[in-house]
């Protein structure tokens, strides 16, 4: 089990790095969007490439950060139901979901997307819009993103089994991580305190 937990740590490390990289893509998308707006208003010039690169970056963030989201347990779940279960029950539900839903979905999505990626690369497929971009870079994000999600599923499955065997703490319990709302509330409180002084 120690080797599997080491594998889990390696997968977590990979998705953590990819997720942090994806955060920078959000900034890049915002900058490109702002530059596109300025160029359009000031110079009365527009380019489909500017619009498409924003779509590509958004797709990259969504797909590449899926594993990162799963790593931090920020994916969509039905807390109303799962909160009524014991920690063991919640982990069993996750094991069932990973094995019977996540893994088949990931495998099928990768299997179905690969021919499209290969055809786009082989044909040099371009956007049908004037001045548009090549398509394969955005197509290849689908199998890469779902592979990262599948790998994170392997990591999470290892952690759930290790918890059920009593080897690690509950992986569903967040360790001193604050929600975005808590961070915002602390920031606002600090600003008010600073203004009051």
């Amino acid at each position: 089990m120690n080797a599997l937990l080491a594998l889990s740590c390696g997968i977590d490390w990979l998705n953590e790095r990819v997720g942090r990289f994806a955060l920078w893509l959000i900034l890049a998308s915002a900058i490109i969007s702002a530059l596109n707006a300025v160029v359009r208003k000031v110079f009365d010039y527009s380019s489909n490439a500017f619009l498409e690169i924003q779509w590509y970056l958004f797709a990259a963030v969504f797909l590449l950060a899926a594993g990162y989201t799963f790593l931090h347990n920020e994916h969509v779940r039905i807390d109303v139901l799962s909160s009524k279960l014991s920690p063991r029950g919640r982990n069993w539900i996750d094991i069932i979901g990973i094995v019977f839903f996540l893994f088949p979905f990931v495998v099928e999505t990768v299997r179905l997307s690969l021919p499209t990626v290969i055809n786009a690369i082989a044909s040099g497929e371009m956007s049908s819009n004037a001045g548009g971009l090549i398509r394969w870079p955005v197509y290849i994000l689908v199998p890469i993103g779902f592979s990262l999600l599948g790998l994170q599923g392997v990591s999470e499955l290892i952690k759930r089994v290790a918890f059920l065997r009593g080897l690690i703490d509950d992986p569903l319990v967040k360790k001193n991580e604050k929600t975005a709302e808590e961070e915002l509330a602390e920031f606002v409180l600090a600003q008010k305190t600073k203004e009051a002084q």
Side-chain angles (χ1 to χ4, degrees), residues 2 12 16 25 28 33 35 37 53 64 73 87 90 95 97 110 135 145 149-150 160 165 172 174 185 191:
N2 286 339
D12 291 353
E16 182 71 32
L25 297 180
S33 178
L35 288 173
I53 195 67
L64 297 178
N73 282 316
R90 285 194 302 273
I95 289 171
V110 170
R135 290 278 173 97
L149 179 60
R160 301 311 185 266
R165 294 181 68 188
L172 295 173
K174 294 187 180 180
Q191 291 298 323

Side-chain angles (χ1 to χ4, degrees), residues 154-196:
V154 170
S155 174
E156 297 303 317
L157 183 61
I158 291 167
K159 288 186 264 189
R160 301 311 185 266
V161 171
F163 168 73
L164 292 174
R165 294 181 68 188
L167 300 174
I168 64 171
D169 293 334
D170 188 354
L172 295 173
V173 173
K174 294 187 180 180
K175 297 161 187 73
N176 294 331
E177 289 183 18
K178 295 177 185 167
T179 66
E181 292 83 6
E182 290 170 333
E183 289 179 1
L184 179 61
E186 286 179 4
F187 175 77
V188 170
L189 183 60
Q191 291 298 323
K192 286 184 178 181
T193 305
K194 192 184 287 185
E195 289 173 5

Side-chain angles (χ1 to χ4, degrees), residues 13-25:
W13 179 88
L14 173 65
N15 270 314
E16 182 71 32
R17 298 303 171 274
V18 172
R20 291 191 180 276
F21 169 75
L23 292 173
W24 288 103
L25 297 180

Side-chain angles (χ1 to χ4, degrees), residues 102-170:
L102 177 68
F103 286 159
F105 181 68
V106 165
V107 168
E108 194 64 8
T109 302
V110 170
R111 185 185 73 78
L112 291 172
S113 65
L114 283 176
T116 303
V117 172
I118 292 166
N119 288 338
I121 292 171
S123 69
E125 182 180 342
M126 297 287 296
S127 168
S128 59
N129 297 320
L133 303 173
I134 57 174
R135 290 278 173 97
W136 71 262
V138 76
Y139 289 168
I140 204 167
L141 290 170
V142 174
I144 291 172
F146 275 88
S147 295
L148 288 168
L149 179 60
L151 279 173
Q152 193 59 45
V154 170
S155 174
E156 297 303 317
L157 183 61
I158 291 167
K159 288 186 264 189
R160 301 311 185 266
V161 171
F163 168 73
L164 292 174
R165 294 181 68 188
L167 300 174
I168 64 171
D169 293 334
D170 188 354

